[in-house]
Amino acid sequence: MNRRTLLTSALTLAAMRAFPGISYAQARPLVFATFTGSWEEAHKAILVPAYRKATNNAGIVLDPMLSVDQIAKVTAARNNPPIDVQLHDPGPGLIAIAQGLVEPYPVDRSAYYKDLLPVAQEPMGPAAFFQVVGLTYNPETIKTPPTSWADLWNPAYKGKVGITNLASTLGTGFLVEIARMYGGSEANVDPGFTALAKLKPSLSAVASNPGALASLFQQGQIDISPGNYNAIQILKAQGVPVEWVAPKEGAIAFRTTMHITKNSPNPELAFKLIEAALSPEVQTALMQEPYLVTPTNTKVKMSGAVAKDLAPDADTMNKKFKFQDWAKINEQRAAWIARFNREMAG
Amino acid sequence: MAAASPAGFDPRLAWPLGSFLALLFAVPLAMLLVISLQTGDGYGFGQYAKFLTDWFSLRILGGTLRLGVEVTIACLVLGFPLAWLHARSPGWAKSAITLVVLLPLLTSVVVRTFAWIVILGRQGIINNALVGAGLIDTPLRLLYTEGGVVAALAQVQMPLMVLPLVAALGRADPNLADAASILGAGAWRTWRTVVLPLAMPGIIAGCLLTFTASVTAFITQSLVGGGQMMFMPAYVLQQAIALGDMPFAAAISVIFLVCVLIVVALLSLLGRRSRAHV
């Protein structure tokens, strides 16, 4: 290899990196926007191999990013979207549907759609996973496990409570749940804001995202907070003293939906990936240690820590989990975020 | 290579960078301006009016600019003696000081900011030391306070202040200070009338860099400041990404940009006047 060919190939490689369109113009691998952290790890380990098996080793690229970033990227290039399969929390999922960024899911051809829990059956993109939110606490400093959302207001925990702001699904879902607890609803969160105002003196931290909440437990900055079941597992595995408990009012559950992007060049591969994610085999594997992802397919036999901590079977899940009406929530969420900015400012 | 003359240059050499900047800087900036002028049903200054008539938004702007000033002052007060020491030290000590100043730049801002979370936390180094020494009973709240953000940013941005100061003080002839004292000026007067004016270009450059870097330091602001304290970068992000209100986010960005440019212009003006003085 002489200097000139080296230079040419280096320039080509650089151009391909700078303008991926050149190299992917004909056939690009399926691009799946998963979430960062444990999601990416779990999908890489379980979902990707299952997809490769189902598609005779078709190419796939994981491009982890937040729901809102997926929407921004697809909106910016509707005709040539950089993502084939989107993964969404309930709020952004409905926005993606409303803005026409996703294709209807080919429900008739799906082998698994009919087996999903009713709440997971979304014809514009079914839910392959649930995220479950309860109370996270430090068992070394809080000896009697909390049992209710109301325990956050316990004067004993003054200066040790953490929450997140409303930018996250967790923060907004929590506000709605305490609003419901005090007589409000998705349409009226005033009681929730009143309760938050009372919580303010107890707060040690209002994290700007749920990830920051985790590091605050690690630092001993907070001892109790609303928390995601799966986020806690990572901390526990690292030896941080945290426990998770479902409050007696019921844990909040968010459906995490997968969508085929409109104008995707790979609709068939996208369908195969989502089918793999809905299959009982993949969902059963994802439910095991260390991922502990809550399944949405009723054919999955619940077992292990998920069965013990969350629900022993699909029927209980359907009854016990608190699902929220995110279509209603989305209507006013912007106003709530503005209100939270003002009322909770430090 | 046979260059015509060392000073001569061909303006066409600036074309690659010029077109690169035009494409990736001027065009997006123009797009930002256009987007900021979008209102619900046409074009106008509605988004700007919304920001400028809203106390909450103005408070965020004011708080962000105040943060920049506080960090700049902290960096200047702490950095000047260091730069002075550097200028007055023998060669080996100069290298050591330079290394210490540059060391933080070799670590990512995210890592340095996380270190500050460990330092400021309820069970962090400061609180543990104070409790251990029996000075306080319950840990102080240091994380998620403005003081915490200022301290963390001052450390993170310190090299931006010290390096220009070192350059300016290094250029000043140490004999000048000696001459001043021989002529009867006291230490304070020497510093005020000789050292300070000579260091002025460095001070201005350092303040410029520190100020602009700290008002836009999104990572440190949000990780050490938390979700209750809002600064302009986080406000832009929230409006654009969480709320999807691109026109308002663009208007906030433009207002922020203009405010920072005003500060930059004032400092440059000060710099030009001080140069005239020297």
Side-chain angles (χ1 to χ4, degrees), chain B residues 96-229:
Chain B
I97 294 176
T98 310
L99 181 71
V100 168
V101 170
L102 286 179
L103 212 52
L105 282 184
L106 303 179
T107 340
S108 127
V109 175
V110 181
V111 176
R112 277 182 276 162
T113 302
F114 264 100
W116 274 99
I117 296 181
V118 177
I119 293 171
L120 298 173
R122 270 172 58 86
Q123 292 171 14
I125 298 167
I126 296 179
N127 270 322
N128 275 350
L130 288 175
V131 172
L135 292 172
I136 51 171
D137 297 328
T138 49
L140 299 173
R141 186 178 158 151
L142 301 170
L143 195 61
Y144 290 7
T145 60
E146 187 166 338
V149 181
V150 172
L153 271 176
Q155 192 263 332
V156 169
Q157 315 291 6
M158 187 64 82
L160 297 179
M161 177 63 89
V162 174
L163 292 177
L165 281 178
V166 161
L169 287 172
R171 268 201 309 272
D173 188 345
N175 291 325
L176 288 174
D178 296 340
S181 59
I182 288 169
L183 291 172
W188 164 244
R189 191 154 167 226
T190 307
W191 187 80
R192 197 172 52 87
T193 58
V194 178
V195 178
L196 195 60
L198 285 173
M200 215 30 143
I203 294 178
I204 303 282
C207 288
L208 260 178
L209 291 172
T210 320
F211 180 82
T212 46
S214 46
V215 290
T216 53
F218 172 73
I219 295 171
T220 311
Q221 288 170 1
S222 55
L223 283 181
V224 183
Q228 271 172 302
M229 222 180 295

Side-chain angles (χ1 to χ4, degrees), chain B:
Chain B
M1 246 213 268
S5 80
F9 76 100
D10 190 332
R12 275 175 301 181
L13 285 176
W15 263 105
L17 183 63
S19 47
F20 186 76
L21 284 180
L23 195 69
L24 296 178
F25 189 73
V27 173
L29 205 59
M31 284 167 66
L32 186 77
L33 273 172
V34 172
I35 295 174
S36 75
L37 292 173
Q38 285 173 358
T39 52
D41 43 1
Y43 286 87
F45 290 95
Q47 305 292 351
Y48 292 91
K50 182 173 155 194
F51 186 95
L52 296 171
T53 54
D54 175 26
W55 274 112
F56 178 75
S57 301
L58 290 174
R59 259 215 324 269
I60 294 178
L61 177 62
T64 309
L65 297 177
R66 189 181 64 223
L67 178 77
V69 171
E70 285 167 351
V71 173
T72 307
I73 291 174
C75 282
L76 185 59
V77 169
L78 297 172
F80 196 93
L82 192 63
W84 177 244
L85 195 67
H86 178 275
R88 282 299 172 114
S89 297
W92 63 269
K94 267 193 180 36
S95 322
I97 294 176
T98 310
L99 181 71
V100 168
V101 170
L102 286 179
L103 212 52
L105 282 184
L106 303 179
T107 340
S108 127
V109 175
V110 181
V111 176
R112 277 182 276 162
T113 302
F114 264 100
W116 274 99
I117 296 181
V118 177
I119 293 171
L120 298 173
R122 270 172 58 86
Q123 292 171 14
I125 298 167
I126 296 179
N127 270 322
N128 275 350
L130 288 175
V131 172
L135 292 172
I136 51 171
D137 297 328
T138 49
L140 299 173
R141 186 178 158 151
L142 301 170
L143 195 61
Y144 290 7
T145 60
E146 187 166 338
V149 181
V150 172
L153 271 176
Q155 192 263 332
V156 169
Q157 315 291 6
M158 187 64 82
L160 297 179
M161 177 63 89
V162 174
L163 292 177
L165 281 178
V166 161
L169 287 172
R171 268 201 309 272
D173 188 345
N175 291 325
L176 288 174
D178 296 340
S181 59
I182 288 169
L183 291 172
W188 164 244
R189 191 154 167 226
T190 307
W191 187 80
R192 197 172 52 87
T193 58
V194 178
V195 178
L196 195 60
L198 285 173
M200 215 30 143
I203 294 178
I204 303 282
C207 288
L208 260 178
L209 291 172
T210 320
F211 180 82
T212 46
S214 46
V215 290
T216 53
F218 172 73
I219 295 171
T220 311
Q221 288 170 1
S222 55
L223 283 181
V224 183
Q228 271 172 302
M229 222 180 295
M230 178 95 69
F231 297 105
M232 290 294 272
Y235 197 33
V236 174
L237 180 84
Q238 188 187 68
Q239 296 298 323
I241 300 296
L243 301 179
D245 191 349
M246 288 294 175
F248 190 52
I252 301 174
S253 308
V254 172
I255 290 171
F256 189 36
L257 187 68
V258 168
C259 287
V260 173
L261 281 179
I262 290 174
V263 175
V264 169
L266 285 177
L267 279 171
S268 319
L269 198 71
L270 205 67
R272 217 165 299 143
R273 285 190 51 185
S274 77
R275 258 202 299 285
H277 182 69
V278 174

